[in-house]
């Protein structure tokens, strides 16, 4: 098991899944605290990297496209303080961070995890119910309905209709956009039969965001709804498209028996001889197989 403990959080890897726990330091963002501990299966990963800086470094996980409803809902626009798949590493723990990244890379290589996009979510999204208040309103979701409530700062054209309740069956999409510069952000729900004709400031299906500290919490509501909508890359109904088998964290490892590991060693040797793996990559992968044996 590989583990790294920092003020920013704790990451642990047991060979099958990573557990990402946010730290209690005052600099840890509200979104990461609300999101809590995350379990990320090895099959949901496309890669891992560690970047050194003068005073601190950063561990980053790269998820497979389409694997995470939070990343899908936010379009990858969460800044570094709010991204749960990044960990700030103090300079005296660079060696531990490099070892951690190597262990994850070896496991990805050994298990033959594809970095290709997926057509279903491999992470569950935020737990329910979920609610957030920011900008000109409050958005909440209980798994069946989205509810939008307004505050005293809401434009009359939007608040005059009172609180808004939208059935999940009527939601066809989610937009989350952070405030940037002089442009306000928003959380908008795209509703069947209701084309978008007004900016978020006046749209009764949107909450306008002004760039304050609580704005990122709206991304949790967006992700919770996104996780329960049809996956954007899912085959259309009736299409007989086989899905790639992905081994989740709770499934037993199929390659832990001795014969399978011997076969894996032979495969690695062929990849090395064919020039697919460098000497260093081959040595690391071979060592990981031998450890399991």
């Amino acid at each position: 098991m590989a583990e790294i403990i920092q003020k920013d959080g704790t990451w642990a890897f047991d060979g099958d899944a990573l557990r990402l726990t946010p730290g209690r330091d005052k600099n840890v963002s509200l979104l990461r605290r609300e999101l809590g501990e995350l379990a990320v299966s090895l099959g949901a990963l496309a890669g891992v990297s560690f970047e050194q800086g003068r005073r601190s470094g950063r561990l980053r996980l790269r998820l497979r496209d389409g694997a995470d409803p939070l990343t899908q809902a936010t379009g990858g626009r969460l800044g570094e303080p709010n991204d749960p798949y990044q960990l700030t590493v103090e300079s005296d723990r660079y060696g531990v961070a490099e070892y951690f990244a190597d262990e994850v890379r070896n496991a990805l290589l050994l298990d033959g995890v594809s970095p290709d996009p997926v057509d279903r979510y491999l992470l569950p999204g935020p737990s329910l119910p979920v609610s957030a208040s920011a900008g000109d309103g409050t958005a909440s979701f209980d798994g069946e309905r989205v509810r939008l409530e307004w505050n005293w700062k809401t434009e009359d054209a939007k608040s005059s209709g009172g609180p808004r309740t939208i059935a999940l069956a009527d939601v066809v999409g989610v937009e989350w956009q952070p405030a940037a510069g002089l442009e306000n952000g928003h959380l908008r729900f795209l509703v069947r039969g209701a084309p978008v004709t007004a900016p978020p400031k006046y749209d009764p299906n949107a909450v306008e965001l002004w760039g304050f500290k609580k704005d990122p919490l709206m991304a949790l509501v967006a992700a919770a709804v996104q996780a329960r909508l049809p996956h954007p890359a899912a085959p259309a109904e009736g299409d007989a498209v086989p899905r790639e088998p992905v081994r989740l964290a709770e499934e037993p490892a199929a390659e832990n028996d001795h014969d399978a590991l011997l076969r894996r060693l032979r495969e690695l040797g062929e990849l090395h001889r064919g020039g697919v793996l460098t000497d260093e990559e081959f040595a690391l992968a071979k060592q990981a197989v031998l450890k399991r044996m």
Side-chain angles (χ1 to χ4, degrees):
M1 179 171 176
E3 184 178 59
I4 180 167
I5 302 173
Q6 294 290 277
K7 292 179 181 179
D8 195 36
T10 298
W11 284 13
F13 177 57
D14 63 6
D16 291 318
L18 293 99
R19 294 204 170 272
L20 316 179
T21 307
R24 297 182 179 180
D25 188 75
K26 63 180 181 180
N27 293 323
V28 176
S29 72
L30 290 174
L31 183 145
R32 289 179 58 205
R33 292 179 189 175
E34 287 291 323
L35 197 56
E37 183 179 273
L38 295 177
V40 181
S41 65
L42 193 63
L45 288 182
V48 60
S49 64
F50 174 60
E51 305 158 5
Q52 293 189 17
R54 183 175 299 178
R55 295 185 178 180
S56 63
R58 192 168 294 273
L59 267 171
R60 300 177 189 265
L61 296 181
R62 185 165 57 88
L63 302 182
R64 298 171 68 181
D65 288 345
D68 176 37
L70 176 62
T71 304
Q72 185 75 35
T74 59
R77 292 184 292 267
L78 283 175
E80 285 188 355
N82 298 303
D83 188 343
Y85 307 114
Q86 298 188 32
L87 181 72
T88 301
V89 179
E90 297 168 13
S91 58
D92 62 346
R93 290 293 181 270
Y94 282 0
V96 178
E98 289 173 345
Y99 169 77
F100 186 95
D102 283 342
E103 288 292 293
V104 176
R105 288 193 200 100
N106 289 342
L108 288 170
L109 185 63
L110 179 61
D111 285 21
V113 176
S114 169
D116 294 340
V118 293
D119 61 3
R120 63 198 185 280
Y121 294 121
L122 305 181
L123 278 75
S127 57
L128 297 178
V130 60
S131 180
S133 297
D136 66 355
T138 297
S140 56
F141 179 57
D142 62 5
E144 296 181 358
R145 291 170 297 275
V146 173
R147 184 170 175 82
L148 303 177
E149 300 176 77
W150 316 115
N151 57 39
W152 64 273
K153 294 169 283 188
T154 310
E155 289 290 328
D156 291 342
K158 182 159 66 174
S159 62
S160 59
R164 181 99 164 102
T165 299
I166 310 169
L168 179 63
D170 293 329
V171 179
V172 296
V174 182
E175 290 180 356
W176 181 85
Q177 177 73 44
L182 298 177
E183 295 292 327
N184 291 337
H186 66 267
L187 167 62
R188 191 198 311 263
F189 298 96
L190 306 179
V191 179
R192 183 178 288 105
V196 177
T197 58
K201 186 175 184 177
Y202 304 105
D203 187 349
N205 295 320
V207 176
E208 187 179 39
L209 305 175
W210 300 321
F212 296 149
K213 188 176 181 180
K214 290 186 177 181
D215 280 12
L217 294 179
M218 284 290 179
L220 298 180
V221 182
V225 175
Q226 185 74 56
R228 288 154 183 85
L229 294 177
H231 194 284
E237 189 174 350
D239 290 352
V241 179
R243 287 184 170 183
E244 174 197 354
V246 177
R247 180 168 62 82
L248 300 179
E250 63 270 15
E251 294 177 350
E255 291 194 345
N256 277 352
D257 61 277
H258 191 267
D259 291 342
L261 291 172
L262 287 175
R263 288 196 299 272
R264 186 59 179 157
L265 279 175
R266 286 195 292 271
E267 292 171 0
L268 291 172
E270 291 171 1
L271 291 172
H272 182 232
R273 287 191 294 273
V276 177
L277 296 179
T278 66
D279 292 345
E280 182 180 2
E281 289 172 337
F282 174 66
L284 289 172
K286 180 180 177 181
Q287 183 182 20
V289 175
L290 294 175
K291 277 184 181 179
R292 290 196 179 189
M293 295 177 69

